[in-house]
Amino acid sequence: MNAPAPLPLRIEPLTRAAFAPFGEVIETAGATAFPINVGTTTRYHDLAQVELAGESPRTLVNIFEGKAWHAPIAIRMLERHPLGSQAFYPVDGGRMLIVVAPPGELDESQIRAFISAPDQGVNYARGTWHHPLLCLQHPGRFIVVDRGGEGHNCDEQVLKQPLSVLNLQ
Amino acid sequence: MNAPAPLPLRIEPLTRAAFAPFGEVIETAGATAFPINVGTTTRYHDLAQVELAGESPRTLVNIFEGKAWHAPIAIRMLERHPLGSQAFYPVDGGRMLIVVAPPGELDESQIRAFISAPDQGVNYARGTWHHPLLCLQHPGRFIVVDRGGEGHNCDEQVLKQPLSVLNLQ
């Protein structure tokens, strides 16, 4: 038996409110901000809830370099990190297709999709289902802040009903 | 009595080896790297030693927006964070003048200066003396990963002998 044909997945605007069930949008707009360094720097403060669970966890700072994806993009699986959050922020203006579902047992009817602006990142909360990096149109580099340490920290799940993003507008 | 006239401070190339006494250079060149996401992404792994000491610490992800600095730049003070590291990575290609001295009692004879490339960041190790953000030529934004939590986490010290960076080459 073949897999079912993909269903189209609608793109929503990436806002703090819309993304709240999945983690945080990392952006200066709307952030807590204050001057530091005798007024020569503005600090946009504490933009992501970094979560570190499990045995001997520590914070990792990494750079991810993603290939360019073009429409249509098939969404066939999601993954989650049960022991920690994972934050992405572009360092060369890359835009991401972000596909997520709430933590807990995967409910495919709750899958949602967003596209980030060049000055937006996201932090996936611990356990949030998400598609691996989908960098749009051009290869892109991202600062990634996630968890290191002992223990199993990645679950992958193939979708019963694959989805497809047909239009990246 | 007036402060002594500034002494010129020489710029050194920013390399992992030269910066090792102060923390890490965050860059893909020379990093541990491996493919993830079925080969669609390269992970440059664990580029900074994030240190979180003191009471109820947690990792903060912030954006710093720094004003543009132009030569000559007077170095009159340094600061240190006794409870945690602090990492900077540019998100719009900004270059930093990095002025540092080793942890411990400040030894002004050990002050060194570096300029970062647009694809380099730095992580100041816990206790490393460093000048606050000096973004060169243009205003710039940086992802900053540092420590939140209780306790005193910033010491500032005015230099007995001010320094000056005359030439940003």
Side-chain angles (χ1 to χ4, degrees):
Chain A
M1 196 178 97
N2 293 329
L7 286 180
L9 181 59
R10 184 174 63 90
I11 303 295
E12 300 175 59
L14 181 59
T15 65
R16 292 174 189 273
F19 197 71
F22 312 109
E24 297 85 37
V25 178
I26 301 172
E27 61 182 344
T28 57
T32 298
F34 46 88
I36 59 172
N37 303 343
V38 204
T40 64
T41 302
T42 300
R43 180 177 174 121
Y44 298 93
H45 181 69
D46 194 9
L47 305 176
Q49 295 300 308
V50 176
E51 297 172 282
L52 304 171
E55 195 178 342
S56 59
R58 65 187 192 87
T59 305
L60 301 182
V61 176
N62 318 277
I63 294 175
F64 280 17
E65 188 170 59
K67 78 161 204 176
W69 292 76
H70 305 272
I73 298 176
I75 305 299
R76 298 192 178 92
M77 58 77 73
L78 296 177
E79 67 179 31
R80 66 175 172 186
H81 305 302
L83 297 181
S85 55
Q86 188 174 46
F88 292 77
Y89 195 92
V91 301
D92 49 13
R95 299 165 72 230
M96 295 178 278
L97 173 62
I98 295 155
V99 181
V100 284
E105 190 174 355
L106 177 58
D107 178 351
E108 296 188 21
S109 74
Q110 298 298 309
I111 295 174
R112 294 167 65 184
F114 304 89
I115 292 179
S116 60
D119 59 354
Q120 287 180 317
V122 290
N123 183 46
Y124 299 117
R126 176 183 175 196
T128 290
W129 292 100
H130 59 278
H131 196 278
L133 180 61
L134 295 167
C135 182
L136 300 179
Q137 313 297 0
H138 307 281
R141 288 184 169 191
F142 298 81
I143 286 281
V144 175
V145 178
D146 61 4
R147 176 204 176 269
E150 297 302 314
H152 172 79
N153 193 26
C154 191
D155 297 324
E156 294 185 1
Q157 190 159 331
V158 173
L159 302 186
K160 295 187 181 77
Q161 170 61 62
L163 300 166
S164 181
V165 174
L166 301 172
N167 190 325
L168 297 175
Q169 300 308 312
Chain B
M1 197 178 97
N2 293 329
L7 287 179
L9 182 58
R10 185 173 62 90
I11 303 296
E12 300 175 60
L14 180 59
T15 66
R16 292 174 189 275
F19 197 71
F22 312 108
E24 296 86 35
V25 178
I26 301 172
E27 61 182 344
T28 57
T32 298
F34 46 88
I36 60 171
N37 304 342
V38 203
T40 63
T41 302
T42 299
R43 180 177 175 120
Y44 298 92
H45 181 68
D46 194 9
L47 305 176
Q49 296 299 307
V50 176
E51 297 172 282
L52 304 171
E55 195 178 342
S56 59
R58 66 188 191 87
T59 305
L60 301 181
V61 176
N62 318 278
I63 294 175
F64 280 17
E65 188 170 59
K67 78 161 205 176
W69 292 75
H70 304 273
I73 298 176
I75 305 298
R76 297 191 178 93
M77 58 78 72
L78 296 177
E79 67 179 30
R80 67 175 171 186
H81 305 302
L83 297 181
S85 55
Q86 188 174 46
F88 292 76
Y89 196 92
V91 301
D92 49 13
R95 299 165 72 231
M96 294 177 279
L97 173 61
I98 296 155
V99 181
V100 284
E105 190 175 355
L106 178 57
D107 178 351
E108 296 188 21
S109 74
Q110 298 299 308
I111 294 174
R112 293 167 66 184
F114 304 89
I115 292 179
S116 60
D119 60 354
Q120 287 180 317
V122 291
N123 184 46
Y124 299 116
R126 176 183 175 195
T128 289
W129 292 100
H130 59 279
H131 195 278
L133 180 61
L134 295 167
C135 182
L136 299 178
Q137 312 296 357
H138 308 280
R141 288 184 169 191
F142 298 80
I143 286 281
V144 175
V145 178
D146 60 4
R147 176 205 176 269
E150 298 302 314
H152 172 80
N153 193 25
C154 191
D155 297 324
E156 293 185 2
Q157 190 159 331
V158 173
L159 301 186
K160 294 187 181 78
Q161 171 60 64
L163 301 166
S164 181
V165 175
L166 301 171
N167 190 325
L168 297 175
Q169 300 307 312

